Amino acid sequence: QVQLVESGGGVVQPGRSLRLSCAASGFTFSTYGIHWVRQAPGKGLEWVAFIWYDGNTKSYADSMKGRFTISRDNSKNTLYLQMHSLRVEDTATYYCTRDPGRKPTVQYCFDYWGQGTLVTVSS
Amino acid sequence: QTVVTQEPSFSVSPGGTVTLTCGLSSGSVSTGYYPSWYQQTPGQAPRTLIYDTNIRSSGVPDRFSGSILGNKAALTITGAQADDESDYYCVLYMGSGIWVFGGGTKVTVL
């Protein structure tokens, strides 16, 4: 069955960097686009970034652009989110979630979700 | 920047019907925004309910339905059950590879 497992979260000081990973299994990873979505404690969901199946096209929410980089290694079935210059307001649970469209299409939604990894930015 | 709007909260009686909406601070929601809906209970990952306006995700009961009502996307729960008590989020595709979530609606069944 489809599984997405996030890792890499933890406590980090403001201004530091952190890299999250999302290990995928149960489907042909290289044929699906994948998103990062985050949720601050007690708050709503916020879309972070999307990467197409081949990694050649990426998009970001304005508030994350320039600080966050989404990438993927299709040989390892793994998605990444490199976060720099972290701020207290980046504290959130970060989810990876799949777009159900198989290459070359995108379905503009999310189907399977991981359980999330918590990032806490605090001094 | 365009904001996606949702009602903050709704209350529905068991067996009742409730319609949640998903609008834009400027403009109308159409199918071209590919509205989708997600259910989330505290401490859990979101669950996909509806995508592409009105297509139910696998395993979602048919008491959940999606539509466009006027200038908004809508999620209707018909015959609400106790375990429908959750937060519900819509998300719209804004074009150019950008998605925006609404603020979520907390549904109480009582």
Side-chain angles (χ1 to χ4, degrees):
Chain A
Q1 71 280 24
V2 172
Q3 277 200 308
L4 298 167
V5 179
E6 303 91 340
S7 61
V11 180
V12 61
Q13 292 179 326
R16 303 297 291 265
S17 300
L18 197 65
R19 188 177 81 159
L20 307 182
S21 299
C22 169
S25 59
F27 65 102
T28 305
F29 180 71
S30 61
T31 63
Y32 290 87
I34 311 286
H35 300 259
W36 286 102
V37 171
R38 72 182 185 181
Q39 186 170 37
K43 303 296 185 183
L45 298 170
E46 181 181 21
W47 177 77
V48 173
F50 175 64
I51 186 166
W52 277 57
Y53 62 93
D54 58 3
N56 288 336
T57 302
K58 308 170 187 181
S59 55
Y60 301 89
D62 282 347
S63 59
M64 271 66 88
K65 203 177 296 184
R67 296 191 303 123
F68 290 9
T69 301
I70 189 172
S71 62
R72 63 192 296 161
D73 185 336
N74 285 344
S75 69
K76 296 182 178 179
N77 291 343
T78 302
L79 172 78
Y80 302 101
L81 184 69
Q82 179 69 55
M83 303 184 292
H84 296 293
S85 303
L86 282 162
R87 306 166 181 167
V88 171
E89 55 266 34
D90 295 319
T91 295
T93 296
Y94 286 74
Y95 297 99
C96 58
T97 175
R98 191 185 77 166
D99 182 294
R102 292 193 69 174
K103 73 169 186 179
T105 64
V106 174
Q107 281 201 249
Y108 307 104
C109 59
F110 321 111
D111 59 358
Y112 290 93
W113 298 70
Q115 283 304 304
T117 186
L118 177 62
V119 173
T120 302
V121 184
S122 173
S123 54
Chain B
Q1 186 169 354
T2 301
V3 174
V4 177
T5 61
Q6 293 185 249
E7 299 87 358
S9 63
F10 254 121
S11 185
V12 60
S13 300
T17 296
V18 63
T19 297
L20 316 182
T21 67
C22 176
L24 289 169
S25 57
S26 176
S28 300
V29 177
S30 65
T31 57
Y33 284 88
Y34 300 93
S36 54
W37 293 88
Y38 304 85
Q39 178 191 49
Q40 188 183 37
T41 53
Q44 299 296 313
R47 171 197 181 196
T48 303
L49 295 177
I50 300 287
Y51 62 97
D52 202 2
T53 304
N54 57 12
I55 301 174
R56 262 187 303 276
S57 188
S58 176
V60 173
D62 61 7
R63 66 178 183 274
F64 293 95
S65 61
S67 63
I68 298 291
L69 283 181
N71 62 350
K72 296 181 180 182
L75 173 72
T76 299
I77 308 172
T78 304
Q81 299 182 2
D83 61 2
D84 295 336
E85 189 161 293
S86 301
D87 295 323
Y88 292 84
Y89 295 93
C90 70
V91 64
L92 301 179
Y93 178 64
M94 310 304 285
S96 302
I98 302 297
W99 284 259
V100 179
F101 278 93
T105 298
K106 184 177 184 63
V107 172
T108 302
V109 181
L110 51 72

